[in-house]
Amino acid sequence: QKEVEQNSGPLSVPEGAIASLNCTYSDRVSQSFFWYRQYSGKSPELIMSIYSNGDKEDGRFTAQLNKASQYVSLLIRDSQPSDSATYLCAVNKDTGGFKTIFGAGTRLFVKA
Amino acid sequence: DVKVTQSSRYLVKRTGEKVFLECVQDMDHENMFWYRQDPGLGLRLIYFSYDVKMKEKGDIPEGYSVSREKKERFSLILESASTNQTSMYLCASSLSRDGYTFGSGTRLTVV
């Protein structure tokens, strides 16, 4: 079992729809959780971080964390073609931020 | 705007060469990291550093070394480049448990 698992996709949604990206992790001691967006040929860019159970909203993005279920998700409302990218889930296993495990990423396509 | 700058965007080196990849951050971050990213394998940690002159091995340190003489600079060294080190190399920095800021990456080809 991989430490951080994501559906590789591609996930295809129409413009204006909600895109839902999911991630599960195996280590219950995980401390903090991140979503990165990576456009083709570019480096990852941090878009959301979440540290406690519940929802965290930032603009069109909402991160959801459920530590009991070891599950973190990213919702993108009003999806735009410019949201088409690979989304990486990342989990920190320690408080120092050294042991970050990245998922393999989910490819998202937003159709105009 | 905060930045992590990698010295080269593309590099082509010959097998056996010693290769230096440089990374500089201007955010006064304590932690710096070197990853490689390959299709199907995702991001893999090579080395990280949590302070000047401190370094720790990541998951795939073989064939690599690092140097951190100043807080803002973290260098990755390929002692004797091999074709299986052809990859995208990504430098990142972070403050404590915050998320990473990545550099733009260096695409290294070893021929």
Side-chain angles (χ1 to χ4, degrees):
Chain A
Q1 181 189 8
K2 292 182 180 178
E3 292 190 77
V4 178
E5 296 215 50
Q6 298 181 252
N7 188 324
S8 62
L11 173 66
S12 184
V13 300
E15 184 175 359
I18 296 175
S20 178
L21 305 165
N22 304 313
C23 173
T24 58
Y25 60 95
S26 60
D27 196 333
R28 287 191 172 274
V29 302
S30 298
Q31 300 281 331
S32 43
F33 308 85
F34 307 93
W35 284 97
Y36 293 83
R37 177 177 61 201
Q38 186 172 23
Y39 292 114
S40 181
K42 303 293 186 183
S43 59
E45 174 193 11
L46 179 67
I47 54 172
M48 289 289 288
S49 57
I50 186 165
Y51 303 101
S52 56
N53 280 329
D55 294 0
K56 179 182 178 182
E57 186 174 319
D58 184 1
R60 295 187 296 112
F61 298 100
T62 299
Q64 300 174 317
L65 175 61
N66 184 325
K67 289 188 176 181
S69 301
Q70 296 174 239
Y71 177 93
V72 58
S73 65
L74 179 70
L75 301 177
I76 306 174
R77 289 182 301 281
D78 189 24
S79 295
Q80 301 297 310
S82 59
D83 295 325
S84 299
T86 297
Y87 289 80
L88 304 174
C89 173
V91 175
N92 271 5
K93 297 172 65 173
D94 62 71
T95 56
F98 308 135
K99 291 291 186 181
T100 297
I101 309 298
F102 285 84
T106 298
R107 292 175 63 196
L108 172 67
F109 289 109
V110 180
K111 298 174 293 185
Chain B
D1 195 17
V2 295
K3 279 194 181 302
V4 176
T5 303
Q6 294 184 231
S7 54
S8 303
R9 189 74 178 95
Y10 298 95
L11 273 179
V12 180
K13 296 292 182 180
R14 295 194 180 277
T15 300
E17 276 193 77
K18 192 168 186 176
V19 181
F20 293 86
L21 303 182
E22 304 288 343
C23 176
V24 177
Q25 51 99 359
D26 65 0
M27 297 167 284
D28 202 33
H29 282 174
E30 305 147 348
N31 307 326
M32 297 188 74
F33 306 84
W34 276 105
Y35 283 84
R36 62 179 285 179
Q37 187 175 33
D38 302 286
L41 296 176
L43 281 159
R44 293 181 291 168
L45 180 63
I46 304 171
Y47 268 96
F48 67 94
S49 169
Y50 53 89
D51 201 352
V52 175
K53 297 192 184 294
M54 305 304 291
K55 59 185 179 183
E56 294 286 343
K57 293 180 180 179
D59 299 318
I60 52 163
E62 296 79 18
Y64 303 94
S65 62
V66 291
S67 173
R68 194 168 181 197
E69 296 296 320
K70 293 184 178 181
K71 189 175 185 179
E72 67 270 20
R73 186 180 298 269
F74 192 36
S75 303
L76 179 69
I77 303 150
L78 285 67
E79 299 291 343
S80 177
S82 63
T83 55
N84 63 11
Q85 293 179 310
T86 291
S87 186
M88 170 68 86
Y89 288 88
L90 291 164
C91 176
S93 72
S94 75
L95 190 64
S96 186
R97 69 170 191 163
D98 291 348
Y100 293 177
T101 300
F102 282 91
S104 56
T106 296
R107 187 166 293 281
L108 173 67
T109 302
V110 182
V111 298

